[in-house]
Every structure is written in structure tokens, then in C-alpha cells.
Amino acid sequence: SAVLRHLASSGHDVDALFGEMVRVVGAGAKALAQAVLGHVDVIEPRDLWPLGAKRGQKLQGCSTPFGDPSWGQWQQDCFHLLGFDVMFDQQGTATLLEVNCNPSMALDSIHPLDGMDADVPIPLGPKQLGPMSGVYGAAMGLCKGRGMRPCRCLSHHRPHVHRPCVVDLAIKQAS
């Protein structure tokens, strides 16, 4: 990925860093799997997915606990995307910060236009963006309101604008 190439060009051992990331993400995923399967004494599987709970539109009316035999092959064919946030210390040791159950795949950021958390973004041009200028311009065209008009969608409770996030663009473009 672009991040690993950048780290390698800065003299970091990317194989060791990637190995650390695999270690900590693997341990986190294993812990989650053990909890879901009911192999963790302090967590009951029904507490993770209570009997009778509705799971949203796609599974409307589902009232069976995880692992119910009536699920059949469907249980084997489903998946869930998770986002693992990892931080490295100066020695290259990875620490798992959090696991996001609904990671954003978006390329834009929300910038409230008024209120306590107002965050009116400074317009970025080719001088600030360098080689990302073309990608940023194309992404602006895909944002709600083209990144310029105030928006009142449900992404934020106040008027806001959607602007491309340069970091997300760089990482997701290069991956």
C-alpha cells in the first residue's frame, strides 16, 4: 500500500511493521470470534445478539440467536466488515486502539458550518495538494453539493458541507 511504501522510503522495516499489525489484528479478531462463539465465560452469546432482536432491514424479523441451526448454509456464507485501528510506538510495537463495526469507506468528511463545532474548511488548490490535485478535484465532483453548497442530510444535525478528505483519498487511491 501507499503507507507501507512511504514507511519503507523513510527507512522503516515494513515487513516487521506488517507482521506486528497482523499479530495485533489477529489477536483482536480471535478474541472477537471466541466471544461470539460463546467461549468467553464473562460474555454470553445472547448478550451479543439477544434472542428476539431485530437486525435491521436486510434481516427484518430475525428472532434467532447467532449459530441457530436453522440458519443453515447462510451462516457460512455471510461476512461483516470490521475496521481495526492500530497505533505503532517508536520501537514498532503495534497496539490495537479500537475495532470499528461499521468502518467508513467514504472519501469525504463532514464540516459543520455553524454552531459550537463549526469547521469551515479552507479551500485547497494545486499549491497545497501537489500531485493529489487532480484526484481531489474529481472527488469534489462526487461529494454532495460538490463540496460547496450547504447540505442538510442526516450525516450531521447542522448545516454542513461534504469535502474530500485528502488523507483518505491518498490511502484509498494508492491501495
Side-chain angles (χ1 to χ4, degrees), residues 49-65 70-71 74:
W49 188 356
L51 182 62
K54 306 275 190 250
R55 292 278 323 253
Q57 281 187 300
K58 289 188 179 176
L59 296 174
Q60 219 30 280
C62 184
S63 62
T64 57
S70 67
W71 286 18
W74 182 83

mmCIF file with all atom_site columns, all heavy atoms in Angstrom, residues 49-65 70-71 74:
data_model
loop_
_atom_site.group_PDB
_atom_site.id
_atom_site.type_symbol
_atom_site.label_atom_id
_atom_site.label_alt_id
_atom_site.label_comp_id
_atom_site.label_asym_id
_atom_site.label_entity_id
_atom_site.label_seq_id
_atom_site.pdbx_PDB_ins_code
_atom_site.Cartn_x
_atom_site.Cartn_y
_atom_site.Cartn_z
_atom_site.occupancy
_atom_site.B_iso_or_equiv
_atom_site.pdbx_formal_charge
_atom_site.auth_seq_id
_atom_site.auth_comp_id
_atom_site.auth_asym_id
_atom_site.auth_atom_id
_atom_site.pdbx_PDB_model_num
ATOM 1   N N   . TRP A 1 49 ? -26.103 -10.826 20.858 1.00 0.00 ? 49 TRP A N   1
ATOM 2   C CA  . TRP A 1 49 ? -27.234 -10.780 19.949 1.00 0.00 ? 49 TRP A CA  1
ATOM 3   C C   . TRP A 1 49 ? -28.428 -11.365 20.680 1.00 0.00 ? 49 TRP A C   1
ATOM 4   O O   . TRP A 1 49 ? -28.681 -12.552 20.623 1.00 0.00 ? 49 TRP A O   1
ATOM 5   C CB  . TRP A 1 49 ? -26.939 -11.564 18.696 1.00 0.00 ? 49 TRP A CB  1
ATOM 6   C CG  . TRP A 1 49 ? -27.970 -11.412 17.626 1.00 0.00 ? 49 TRP A CG  1
ATOM 7   C CD1 . TRP A 1 49 ? -29.151 -10.728 17.696 1.00 0.00 ? 49 TRP A CD1 1
ATOM 8   C CD2 . TRP A 1 49 ? -27.923 -11.946 16.320 1.00 0.00 ? 49 TRP A CD2 1
ATOM 9   N NE1 . TRP A 1 49 ? -29.842 -10.803 16.532 1.00 0.00 ? 49 TRP A NE1 1
ATOM 10  C CE2 . TRP A 1 49 ? -29.113 -11.542 15.661 1.00 0.00 ? 49 TRP A CE2 1
ATOM 11  C CE3 . TRP A 1 49 ? -27.013 -12.708 15.637 1.00 0.00 ? 49 TRP A CE3 1
ATOM 12  C CZ2 . TRP A 1 49 ? -29.389 -11.902 14.347 1.00 0.00 ? 49 TRP A CZ2 1
ATOM 13  C CZ3 . TRP A 1 49 ? -27.291 -13.058 14.343 1.00 0.00 ? 49 TRP A CZ3 1
ATOM 14  C CH2 . TRP A 1 49 ? -28.456 -12.662 13.696 1.00 0.00 ? 49 TRP A CH2 1
ATOM 15  N N   . PRO A 1 50 ? -29.161 -10.533 21.424 1.00 0.00 ? 50 PRO A N   1
ATOM 16  C CA  . PRO A 1 50 ? -30.254 -11.050 22.253 1.00 0.00 ? 50 PRO A CA  1
ATOM 17  C C   . PRO A 1 50 ? -31.319 -11.767 21.432 1.00 0.00 ? 50 PRO A C   1
ATOM 18  O O   . PRO A 1 50 ? -31.647 -11.342 20.325 1.00 0.00 ? 50 PRO A O   1
ATOM 19  C CB  . PRO A 1 50 ? -30.838 -9.791  22.900 1.00 0.00 ? 50 PRO A CB  1
ATOM 20  C CG  . PRO A 1 50 ? -29.802 -8.740  22.723 1.00 0.00 ? 50 PRO A CG  1
ATOM 21  C CD  . PRO A 1 50 ? -29.006 -9.106  21.519 1.00 0.00 ? 50 PRO A CD  1
ATOM 22  N N   . LEU A 1 51 ? -31.861 -12.836 22.003 1.00 0.00 ? 51 LEU A N   1
ATOM 23  C CA  . LEU A 1 51 ? -32.938 -13.589 21.366 1.00 0.00 ? 51 LEU A CA  1
ATOM 24  C C   . LEU A 1 51 ? -34.100 -12.645 21.092 1.00 0.00 ? 51 LEU A C   1
ATOM 25  O O   . LEU A 1 51 ? -34.514 -11.880 21.963 1.00 0.00 ? 51 LEU A O   1
ATOM 26  C CB  . LEU A 1 51 ? -33.390 -14.728 22.276 1.00 0.00 ? 51 LEU A CB  1
ATOM 27  C CG  . LEU A 1 51 ? -34.481 -15.645 21.724 1.00 0.00 ? 51 LEU A CG  1
ATOM 28  C CD1 . LEU A 1 51 ? -33.992 -16.344 20.458 1.00 0.00 ? 51 LEU A CD1 1
ATOM 29  C CD2 . LEU A 1 51 ? -34.884 -16.674 22.766 1.00 0.00 ? 51 LEU A CD2 1
ATOM 30  N N   . GLY A 1 52 ? -34.600 -12.646 19.875 1.00 0.00 ? 52 GLY A N   1
ATOM 31  C CA  . GLY A 1 52 ? -35.721 -11.795 19.511 1.00 0.00 ? 52 GLY A CA  1
ATOM 32  C C   . GLY A 1 52 ? -35.312 -10.436 18.970 1.00 0.00 ? 52 GLY A C   1
ATOM 33  O O   . GLY A 1 52 ? -36.170 -9.670  18.542 1.00 0.00 ? 52 GLY A O   1
ATOM 34  N N   . ALA A 1 53 ? -34.039 -10.115 18.970 1.00 0.00 ? 53 ALA A N   1
ATOM 35  C CA  . ALA A 1 53 ? -33.589 -8.811  18.477 1.00 0.00 ? 53 ALA A CA  1
ATOM 36  C C   . ALA A 1 53 ? -33.738 -8.743  16.967 1.00 0.00 ? 53 ALA A C   1
ATOM 37  O O   . ALA A 1 53 ? -33.501 -9.703  16.270 1.00 0.00 ? 53 ALA A O   1
ATOM 38  C CB  . ALA A 1 53 ? -32.136 -8.580  18.857 1.00 0.00 ? 53 ALA A CB  1
ATOM 39  N N   . LYS A 1 54 ? -34.146 -7.587  16.495 1.00 0.00 ? 54 LYS A N   1
ATOM 40  C CA  . LYS A 1 54 ? -34.234 -7.354  15.048 1.00 0.00 ? 54 LYS A CA  1
ATOM 41  C C   . LYS A 1 54 ? -32.883 -6.856  14.568 1.00 0.00 ? 54 LYS A C   1
ATOM 42  O O   . LYS A 1 54 ? -32.237 -6.067  15.214 1.00 0.00 ? 54 LYS A O   1
ATOM 43  C CB  . LYS A 1 54 ? -35.306 -6.309  14.750 1.00 0.00 ? 54 LYS A CB  1
ATOM 44  C CG  . LYS A 1 54 ? -36.661 -6.641  15.336 1.00 0.00 ? 54 LYS A CG  1
ATOM 45  C CD  . LYS A 1 54 ? -37.447 -7.541  14.449 1.00 0.00 ? 54 LYS A CD  1
ATOM 46  C CE  . LYS A 1 54 ? -38.866 -7.670  14.927 1.00 0.00 ? 54 LYS A CE  1
ATOM 47  N NZ  . LYS A 1 54 ? -39.184 -8.958  15.468 1.00 0.00 ? 54 LYS A NZ  1
ATOM 48  N N   . ARG A 1 55 ? -32.431 -7.292  13.403 1.00 0.00 ? 55 ARG A N   1
ATOM 49  C CA  . ARG A 1 55 ? -31.102 -6.947  12.918 1.00 0.00 ? 55 ARG A CA  1
ATOM 50  C C   . ARG A 1 55 ? -31.105 -5.930  11.795 1.00 0.00 ? 55 ARG A C   1
ATOM 51  O O   . ARG A 1 55 ? -30.195 -5.877  11.029 1.00 0.00 ? 55 ARG A O   1
ATOM 52  C CB  . ARG A 1 55 ? -30.384 -8.204  12.424 1.00 0.00 ? 55 ARG A CB  1
ATOM 53  C CG  . ARG A 1 55 ? -30.006 -9.198  13.460 1.00 0.00 ? 55 ARG A CG  1
ATOM 54  C CD  . ARG A 1 55 ? -28.721 -8.858  14.174 1.00 0.00 ? 55 ARG A CD  1
ATOM 55  N NE  . ARG A 1 55 ? -27.685 -8.278  13.409 1.00 0.00 ? 55 ARG A NE  1
ATOM 56  C CZ  . ARG A 1 55 ? -26.566 -8.863  13.033 1.00 0.00 ? 55 ARG A CZ  1
ATOM 57  N NH1 . ARG A 1 55 ? -26.346 -10.096 13.335 1.00 0.00 ? 55 ARG A NH1 1
ATOM 58  N NH2 . ARG A 1 55 ? -25.659 -8.213  12.368 1.00 0.00 ? 55 ARG A NH2 1
ATOM 59  N N   . GLY A 1 56 ? -32.102 -5.139  11.612 1.00 0.00 ? 56 GLY A N   1
ATOM 60  C CA  . GLY A 1 56 ? -32.097 -4.153  10.542 1.00 0.00 ? 56 GLY A CA  1
ATOM 61  C C   . GLY A 1 56 ? -32.911 -4.607  9.349  1.00 0.00 ? 56 GLY A C   1
ATOM 62  O O   . GLY A 1 56 ? -33.503 -5.678  9.339  1.00 0.00 ? 56 GLY A O   1
ATOM 63  N N   . GLN A 1 57 ? -32.938 -3.794  8.316  1.00 0.00 ? 57 GLN A N   1
ATOM 64  C CA  . GLN A 1 57 ? -33.798 -4.051  7.176  1.00 0.00 ? 57 GLN A CA  1
ATOM 65  C C   . GLN A 1 57 ? -33.499 -5.362  6.463  1.00 0.00 ? 57 GLN A C   1
ATOM 66  O O   . GLN A 1 57 ? -34.407 -6.072  6.099  1.00 0.00 ? 57 GLN A O   1
ATOM 67  C CB  . GLN A 1 57 ? -33.688 -2.914  6.176  1.00 0.00 ? 57 GLN A CB  1
ATOM 68  C CG  . GLN A 1 57 ? -34.504 -1.705  6.581  1.00 0.00 ? 57 GLN A CG  1
ATOM 69  C CD  . GLN A 1 57 ? -34.504 -0.683  5.497  1.00 0.00 ? 57 GLN A CD  1
ATOM 70  O OE1 . GLN A 1 57 ? -33.451 -0.198  5.129  1.00 0.00 ? 57 GLN A OE1 1
ATOM 71  N NE2 . GLN A 1 57 ? -35.666 -0.356  4.980  1.00 0.00 ? 57 GLN A NE2 1
ATOM 72  N N   . LYS A 1 58 ? -32.258 -5.680  6.238  1.00 0.00 ? 58 LYS A N   1
ATOM 73  C CA  . LYS A 1 58 ? -31.938 -6.868  5.460  1.00 0.00 ? 58 LYS A CA  1
ATOM 74  C C   . LYS A 1 58 ? -32.326 -8.153  6.181  1.00 0.00 ? 58 LYS A C   1
ATOM 75  O O   . LYS A 1 58 ? -32.576 -9.157  5.561  1.00 0.00 ? 58 LYS A O   1
ATOM 76  C CB  . LYS A 1 58 ? -30.452 -6.889  5.101  1.00 0.00 ? 58 LYS A CB  1
ATOM 77  C CG  . LYS A 1 58 ? -30.092 -5.854  4.075  1.00 0.00 ? 58 LYS A CG  1
ATOM 78  C CD  . LYS A 1 58 ? -28.680 -6.022  3.598  1.00 0.00 ? 58 LYS A CD  1
ATOM 79  C CE  . LYS A 1 58 ? -28.377 -4.972  2.554  1.00 0.00 ? 58 LYS A CE  1
ATOM 80  N NZ  . LYS A 1 58 ? -27.021 -5.002  2.098  1.00 0.00 ? 58 LYS A NZ  1
ATOM 81  N N   . LEU A 1 59 ? -32.364 -8.112  7.519  1.00 0.00 ? 59 LEU A N   1
ATOM 82  C CA  . LEU A 1 59 ? -32.727 -9.292  8.292  1.00 0.00 ? 59 LEU A CA  1
ATOM 83  C C   . LEU A 1 59 ? -34.001 -9.024  9.088  1.00 0.00 ? 59 LEU A C   1
ATOM 84  O O   . LEU A 1 59 ? -34.132 -9.443  10.217 1.00 0.00 ? 59 LEU A O   1
ATOM 85  C CB  . LEU A 1 59 ? -31.588 -9.690  9.237  1.00 0.00 ? 59 LEU A CB  1
ATOM 86  C CG  . LEU A 1 59 ? -30.296 -10.113 8.555  1.00 0.00 ? 59 LEU A CG  1
ATOM 87  C CD1 . LEU A 1 59 ? -29.201 -10.349 9.579  1.00 0.00 ? 59 LEU A CD1 1
ATOM 88  C CD2 . LEU A 1 59 ? -30.512 -11.374 7.740  1.00 0.00 ? 59 LEU A CD2 1
ATOM 89  N N   . GLN A 1 60 ? -34.945 -8.325  8.501  1.00 0.00 ? 60 GLN A N   1
ATOM 90  C CA  . GLN A 1 60 ? -36.185 -7.963  9.165  1.00 0.00 ? 60 GLN A CA  1
ATOM 91  C C   . GLN A 1 60 ? -36.857 -9.208  9.739  1.00 0.00 ? 60 GLN A C   1
ATOM 92  O O   . GLN A 1 60 ? -36.995 -10.215 9.059  1.00 0.00 ? 60 GLN A O   1
ATOM 93  C CB  . GLN A 1 60 ? -37.099 -7.313  8.134  1.00 0.00 ? 60 GLN A CB  1
ATOM 94  C CG  . GLN A 1 60 ? -37.937 -6.135  8.505  1.00 0.00 ? 60 GLN A CG  1
ATOM 95  C CD  . GLN A 1 60 ? -37.455 -5.191  9.555  1.00 0.00 ? 60 GLN A CD  1
ATOM 96  O OE1 . GLN A 1 60 ? -37.590 -5.495  10.716 1.00 0.00 ? 60 GLN A OE1 1
ATOM 97  N NE2 . GLN A 1 60 ? -36.933 -4.054  9.171  1.00 0.00 ? 60 GLN A NE2 1
ATOM 98  N N   . GLY A 1 61 ? -37.206 -9.146  11.002 1.00 0.00 ? 61 GLY A N   1
ATOM 99  C CA  . GLY A 1 61 ? -37.940 -10.237 11.628 1.00 0.00 ? 61 GLY A CA  1
ATOM 100 C C   . GLY A 1 61 ? -37.075 -11.371 12.141 1.00 0.00 ? 61 GLY A C   1
ATOM 101 O O   . GLY A 1 61 ? -37.602 -12.369 12.614 1.00 0.00 ? 61 GLY A O   1
ATOM 102 N N   . CYS A 1 62 ? -35.772 -11.269 12.057 1.00 0.00 ? 62 CYS A N   1
ATOM 103 C CA  . CYS A 1 62 ? -34.901 -12.338 12.541 1.00 0.00 ? 62 CYS A CA  1
ATOM 104 C C   . CYS A 1 62 ? -35.029 -12.426 14.063 1.00 0.00 ? 62 CYS A C   1
ATOM 105 O O   . CYS A 1 62 ? -34.853 -11.449 14.763 1.00 0.00 ? 62 CYS A O   1
ATOM 106 C CB  . CYS A 1 62 ? -33.453 -12.069 12.153 1.00 0.00 ? 62 CYS A CB  1
ATOM 107 S SG  . CYS A 1 62 ? -32.357 -13.401 12.606 1.00 0.00 ? 62 CYS A SG  1
ATOM 108 N N   . SER A 1 63 ? -35.339 -13.607 14.569 1.00 0.00 ? 63 SER A N   1
ATOM 109 C CA  . SER A 1 63 ? -35.516 -13.754 16.016 1.00 0.00 ? 63 SER A CA  1
ATOM 110 C C   . SER A 1 63 ? -34.717 -14.930 16.565 1.00 0.00 ? 63 SER A C   1
ATOM 111 O O   . SER A 1 63 ? -35.039 -15.462 17.613 1.00 0.00 ? 63 SER A O   1
ATOM 112 C CB  . SER A 1 63 ? -37.002 -13.903 16.349 1.00 0.00 ? 63 SER A CB  1
ATOM 113 O OG  . SER A 1 63 ? -37.516 -15.063 15.733 1.00 0.00 ? 63 SER A OG  1
ATOM 114 N N   . THR A 1 64 ? -33.703 -15.352 15.833 1.00 0.00 ? 64 THR A N   1
ATOM 115 C CA  . THR A 1 64 ? -32.906 -16.486 16.292 1.00 0.00 ? 64 THR A CA  1
ATOM 116 C C   . THR A 1 64 ? -31.535 -16.012 16.753 1.00 0.00 ? 64 THR A C   1
ATOM 117 O O   . THR A 1 64 ? -30.997 -15.051 16.218 1.00 0.00 ? 64 THR A O   1
ATOM 118 C CB  . THR A 1 64 ? -32.716 -17.526 15.171 1.00 0.00 ? 64 THR A CB  1
ATOM 119 O OG1 . THR A 1 64 ? -32.111 -16.874 14.054 1.00 0.00 ? 64 THR A OG1 1
ATOM 120 C CG2 . THR A 1 64 ? -34.043 -18.126 14.759 1.00 0.00 ? 64 THR A CG2 1
ATOM 121 N N   . PRO A 1 65 ? -30.953 -16.676 17.747 1.00 0.00 ? 65 PRO A N   1
ATOM 122 C CA  . PRO A 1 65 ? -29.622 -16.282 18.203 1.00 0.00 ? 65 PRO A CA  1
ATOM 123 C C   . PRO A 1 65 ? -28.550 -16.702 17.198 1.00 0.00 ? 65 PRO A C   1
ATOM 124 O O   . PRO A 1 65 ? -28.781 -17.569 16.356 1.00 0.00 ? 65 PRO A O   1
ATOM 125 C CB  . PRO A 1 65 ? -29.453 -17.039 19.517 1.00 0.00 ? 65 PRO A CB  1
ATOM 126 C CG  . PRO A 1 65 ? -30.359 -18.215 19.386 1.00 0.00 ? 65 PRO A CG  1
ATOM 127 C CD  . PRO A 1 65 ? -31.513 -17.773 18.519 1.00 0.00 ? 65 PRO A CD  1
ATOM 128 N N   . SER A 1 70 ? -31.081 -23.377 12.229 1.00 0.00 ? 70 SER A N   1
ATOM 129 C CA  . SER A 1 70 ? -31.995 -23.033 11.138 1.00 0.00 ? 70 SER A CA  1
ATOM 130 C C   . SER A 1 70 ? -31.358 -22.098 10.108 1.00 0.00 ? 70 SER A C   1
ATOM 131 O O   . SER A 1 70 ? -31.887 -21.928 9.019  1.00 0.00 ? 70 SER A O   1
ATOM 132 C CB  . SER A 1 70 ? -33.281 -22.405 11.686 1.00 0.00 ? 70 SER A CB  1
ATOM 133 O OG  . SER A 1 70 ? -33.002 -21.142 12.275 1.00 0.00 ? 70 SER A OG  1
ATOM 134 N N   . TRP A 1 71 ? -30.249 -21.482 10.455 1.00 0.00 ? 71 TRP A N   1
ATOM 135 C CA  . TRP A 1 71 ? -29.565 -20.607 9.504  1.00 0.00 ? 71 TRP A CA  1
ATOM 136 C C   . TRP A 1 71 ? -28.974 -21.379 8.335  1.00 0.00 ? 71 TRP A C   1
ATOM 137 O O   . TRP A 1 71 ? -28.772 -20.837 7.264  1.00 0.00 ? 71 TRP A O   1
ATOM 138 C CB  . TRP A 1 71 ? -28.453 -19.825 10.203 1.00 0.00 ? 71 TRP A CB  1
ATOM 139 C CG  . TRP A 1 71 ? -28.938 -18.721 11.071 1.00 0.00 ? 71 TRP A CG  1
ATOM 140 C CD1 . TRP A 1 71 ? -30.190 -18.540 11.571 1.00 0.00 ? 71 TRP A CD1 1
ATOM 141 C CD2 . TRP A 1 71 ? -28.168 -17.639 11.536 1.00 0.00 ? 71 TRP A CD2 1
ATOM 142 N NE1 . TRP A 1 71 ? -30.240 -17.414 12.335 1.00 0.00 ? 71 TRP A NE1 1
ATOM 143 C CE2 . TRP A 1 71 ? -29.007 -16.835 12.337 1.00 0.00 ? 71 TRP A CE2 1
ATOM 144 C CE3 . TRP A 1 71 ? -26.851 -17.254 11.391 1.00 0.00 ? 71 TRP A CE3 1
ATOM 145 C CZ2 . TRP A 1 71 ? -28.578 -15.681 12.965 1.00 0.00 ? 71 TRP A CZ2 1
ATOM 146 C CZ3 . TRP A 1 71 ? -26.423 -16.108 12.009 1.00 0.00 ? 71 TRP A CZ3 1
ATOM 147 C CH2 . TRP A 1 71 ? -27.277 -15.334 12.785 1.00 0.00 ? 71 TRP A CH2 1
ATOM 148 N N   . TRP A 1 74 ? -26.494 -20.319 5.038  1.00 0.00 ? 74 TRP A N   1
ATOM 149 C CA  . TRP A 1 74 ? -26.416 -18.855 5.071  1.00 0.00 ? 74 TRP A CA  1
ATOM 150 C C   . TRP A 1 74 ? -25.405 -18.386 6.103  1.00 0.00 ? 74 TRP A C   1
ATOM 151 O O   . TRP A 1 74 ? -24.663 -17.438 5.879  1.00 0.00 ? 74 TRP A O   1
ATOM 152 C CB  . TRP A 1 74 ? -27.796 -18.277 5.381  1.00 0.00 ? 74 TRP A CB  1
ATOM 153 C CG  . TRP A 1 74 ? -27.818 -16.788 5.381  1.00 0.00 ? 74 TRP A CG  1
ATOM 154 C CD1 . TRP A 1 74 ? -27.949 -15.979 4.291  1.00 0.00 ? 74 TRP A CD1 1
ATOM 155 C CD2 . TRP A 1 74 ? -27.683 -15.928 6.510  1.00 0.00 ? 74 TRP A CD2 1
ATOM 156 N NE1 . TRP A 1 74 ? -27.909 -14.662 4.676  1.00 0.00 ? 74 TRP A NE1 1
ATOM 157 C CE2 . TRP A 1 74 ? -27.740 -14.608 6.039  1.00 0.00 ? 74 TRP A CE2 1
ATOM 158 C CE3 . TRP A 1 74 ? -27.514 -16.125 7.866  1.00 0.00 ? 74 TRP A CE3 1
ATOM 159 C CZ2 . TRP A 1 74 ? -27.646 -13.508 6.865  1.00 0.00 ? 74 TRP A CZ2 1
ATOM 160 C CZ3 . TRP A 1 74 ? -27.423 -15.031 8.699  1.00 0.00 ? 74 TRP A CZ3 1
ATOM 161 C CH2 . TRP A 1 74 ? -27.490 -13.741 8.196  1.00 0.00 ? 74 TRP A CH2 1
#
